[in-house]
Amino acid sequence: MSAKRQEGSRLKDAEQGQVNLRLDVPHSARVYDCILGGKDNYQPDREAAKAMMAEWPALPIHMQANRYFMNRVGHYLAAKEGIRQFLDIGTGLPTEPNLHEVVQRVDPASRIVYVDNDPIVLTHARALLASSDEGMTNYVDADMRDPESIITAPEFTETLDLDRPVALTVIAMVHFLLDEDDAYGIINRLLEPLCPGSFLAMSIGTADFAPDEVHRVAREYEARGMPMRLRNRAEAERFFDGMDLVEPGVTQVHHWHPHPNAVGTVNDADIAMYGGVARKR
């Protein structure tokens, strides 16, 4: 099916479900999908992606490294730390592999709650979140700026057992939270109902390594209604205050538990994301 017919089909499905996809403006998740070579994006998303890659040709490398980080984090938490419950904020759906696919390969009984406010993800969530028979996936349609709407949602409370550890994963999201949004307060509120032994895994946008290029990309985002707040290392580390960081601490995402075959293959200047994983005391 042609891209145009696919878009028409998705739009028809969305109209039947009375979901406003807002195809006239780019959405950060769909721009991300486009840059990674996905198919669930539209002309405004593609135009935005093209403009951003013109400003920083390494952007696809950066975004792919962030996706690989998510995969490694999910596998580490499931395989090494025994985590079987996950709360994933800003899912990156439908770009594969998704978190539930990574962790259910370790244990098919794993449970995952996804959170996003992208109407396209909402429209396709049921098909995209095909869980194993033993486990469960669920979806909360919410904006992370309102953490109460997440932790009180029945999809959250009925899927996750809060007496057992949960991994809160916030991948490539907090750079869309401005100072007035209180990003640190939001993360702390999402962690609050999770029991000791739970984990926080994050990747955090930065301009520390390619400031000119990354700031130009940020201006392209802002021009399209998606302002960003990039953070330095100290600001990134602050998200994990009061928690026990997993080695090697907060580092560029491609340096966090890299696959042996990937060591030395990525230029630090091509990565604009810190990453870290920490255990709640």
Side-chain angles (χ1 to χ4, degrees), residues 229-251:
R229 170 62 162 89
L230 300 165
R231 293 174 172 85
N232 60 32
R233 185 186 183 99
E235 291 171 320
E237 290 174 336
R238 184 181 162 192
F239 283 104
F240 302 97
D241 282 356
M243 305 183 75
D244 297 321
L245 278 163
V246 172
E247 290 294 333
V250 175
T251 185

Side-chain angles (χ1 to χ4, degrees), residues 3 30 50 248 259 265:
R30 301 195 302 256
K50 183 178 179 180
H259 189 282
T265 62

